[in-house]
């Protein structure tokens, strides 16, 4: 089970880093439930279109910022993981942790916290 959860989160990070809108939309549909909720201190959005709109706007503002997955802890249908972000090839300039509720093997709710 740990490999399945970690693989899902790796795909989530790939979706967050994706700058191509078509590939990002396909990744969102693979990683999130259709009625998923994404929230962080800057936004709360619902559904694939809401998530895509938020991520697309973020990518336009910070196209060179690359996220990396950190530690992953989980039990049952809940996950807590850390992440870092920085310019491509550069040092980390941001970090945080996210709390996830899973449903049917995909992200149903994700709540992001910035360090």
């Amino acid at each position: 089970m740990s490999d399945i959860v970690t693989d899902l989160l790796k795909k989530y990070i790939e979706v967050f880093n994706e700058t191509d809108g078509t590939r990002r939309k396909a990744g969102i549909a693979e990683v999130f439930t259709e009625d998923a909720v994404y929230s962080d201190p800057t936004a709360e959005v619902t559904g694939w279109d809401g998530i895509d709109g938020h991520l697309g706007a973020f990518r336009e503002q910070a196209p060179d910022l690359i996220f990396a997955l950190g530690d992953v802890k989980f039990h049952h249908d809940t996950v807590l993981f850390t992440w870092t972000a920085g310019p491509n090839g550069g040092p980390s300039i941001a970090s945080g942790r996210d709390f996830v509720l899973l449903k049917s093997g995909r992200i149903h709710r994700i709540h992001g916290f910035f360090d």
Side-chain angles (χ1 to χ4, degrees):
M1 177 72 160
S2 65
D3 290 342
I4 293 169
V5 172
T6 300
D7 288 346
L8 176 68
L9 295 177
K10 286 177 182 176
K11 289 178 186 174
Y12 165 75
I13 294 293
E14 289 173 10
V15 167
F16 217 98
N17 287 332
E18 184 57 64
T19 57
D20 179 86
T22 301
R23 288 194 301 260
R24 184 177 51 251
K25 285 181 185 180
I28 288 169
E30 182 181 353
V31 170
F32 290 93
T33 62
E34 193 169 356
D35 60 342
V37 175
Y38 171 93
S39 70
D40 68 26
T42 67
E44 181 169 286
V45 295
T46 302
W48 292 342
D49 289 339
I51 294 167
D52 181 53
H54 176 67
L55 295 184
F58 174 78
R59 293 303 341 157
E60 286 181 16
Q61 293 175 354
D64 296 327
L65 197 63
I66 303 298
F67 287 79
L69 182 63
D71 293 331
V72 177
K73 297 177 183 180
F74 72 93
H75 63 82
H76 299 89
D77 61 352
T78 61
V79 183
L80 179 65
F81 71 93
T82 61
W83 53 266
T84 57
N88 196 4
S92 173
I93 60 170
S95 62
R97 62 196 70 243
D98 290 11
F99 176 76
V100 176
L101 294 174
L102 301 174
K103 182 179 178 183
S104 302
R106 294 190 286 166
I107 296 171
H108 182 61
R109 293 185 68 90
I110 186 164
H111 301 281
F113 297 84
F114 306 153
D115 289 338

